[in-house]
């Protein structure tokens, strides 16, 4: 770990950039601008590839969904699936909070896209897990 590295707290949905390294502790600043101090063994460095994957939140593997969006057979209404497997192929390393954030971001992106297209009806498929996605 070095100053400037991005770290995440193990077993918590908190991450930030290292600003100070002490003998047994690390001080980092979160995205919200708050400073936190944790022991070194409570933090992990976020690898560049993981960070890039998280930035590309809307990556959908070709084998999971077709290029065309699905439509409800009865009404012709567009259908979008917000289950994490459909949004991010490799999601096992993500915390529940990160998964929920990705699902909410995807829902907002779809809603915005439908507004632009003046689509009055569409279906968002979601589920109830450890977090509540509405």
């Amino acid at each position: 770990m070095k100053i400037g590295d991005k770290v995440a707290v193990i077993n918590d949905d908190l991450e930030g950039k290292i600003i100070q390294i002490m003998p047994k502790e690390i001080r980092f600043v979160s995205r919200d601008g708050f400073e936190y101090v944790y022991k070194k063994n409570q933090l992990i460095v976020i690898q560049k590839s993981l960070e890039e994957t998280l930035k590309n939140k809307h990556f959908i593997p070709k084998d999971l969904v077709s290029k065309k969006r699905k439509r409800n057979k009865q009404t012709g209404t567009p259908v979008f699936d917000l289950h994490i497997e459909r949004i991010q192929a490799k999601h096992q390393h993500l915390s529940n909070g990160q998964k929920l954030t990705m699902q909410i971001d995807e829902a907002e992106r779809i809603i915005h896209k439908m507004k632009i297209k003046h689509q009055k009806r569409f279906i968002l498929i979601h589920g109830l897990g450890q977090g509540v996605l509405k």
Side-chain angles (χ1 to χ4, degrees), residues 15 31 46 49-58 88 93-94 98 102:
E15 59 186 54
R31 293 179 189 170
I46 299 175
S49 59
L50 172 60
E51 184 180 349
E52 290 169 6
T53 301
L54 292 176
K55 282 182 181 178
N56 187 13
K57 296 176 186 173
H58 308 300
Q88 183 73 34
H93 63 280
L94 300 173
Q98 289 172 321
M102 289 177 72

Side-chain angles (χ1 to χ4, degrees), residues 6-23:
K6 293 195 178 194
V7 292
V9 179
I10 297 172
N11 296 327
D12 198 354
D13 187 24
L14 182 61
E15 59 186 54
K17 189 180 284 190
I18 296 176
I19 57 172
Q20 182 182 11
I21 299 175
M22 296 170 274

Side-chain angles (χ1 to χ4, degrees), residues 64-85:
L64 288 179
V65 291
S66 65
K67 290 182 181 179
K68 295 180 182 178
R69 67 181 181 214
K70 295 181 181 180
R71 289 192 173 266
N72 183 307
K73 290 180 182 178
Q74 296 172 344
T75 63
T77 305
V79 177
F80 300 94
D81 192 342
L82 294 176
H83 286 91
I84 193 66
E85 302 84 27

Side-chain angles (χ1 to χ4, degrees), residues 118-133:
H118 303 287
Q119 181 76 35
K120 293 182 180 180
R121 291 185 58 134
F122 56 95
I123 297 171
L124 293 177
I125 299 173
H126 63 86
L128 295 175
Q130 295 196 3
V132 178
L133 179 63

Side-chain angles (χ1 to χ4, degrees), residues 18 22 25 28 38 54 97 103 117 121:
I18 296 176
M22 296 170 274
E25 298 174 326
F28 68 92
Y38 278 88
L54 292 176
Q103 290 169 310
K117 292 185 173 190
R121 291 185 58 134

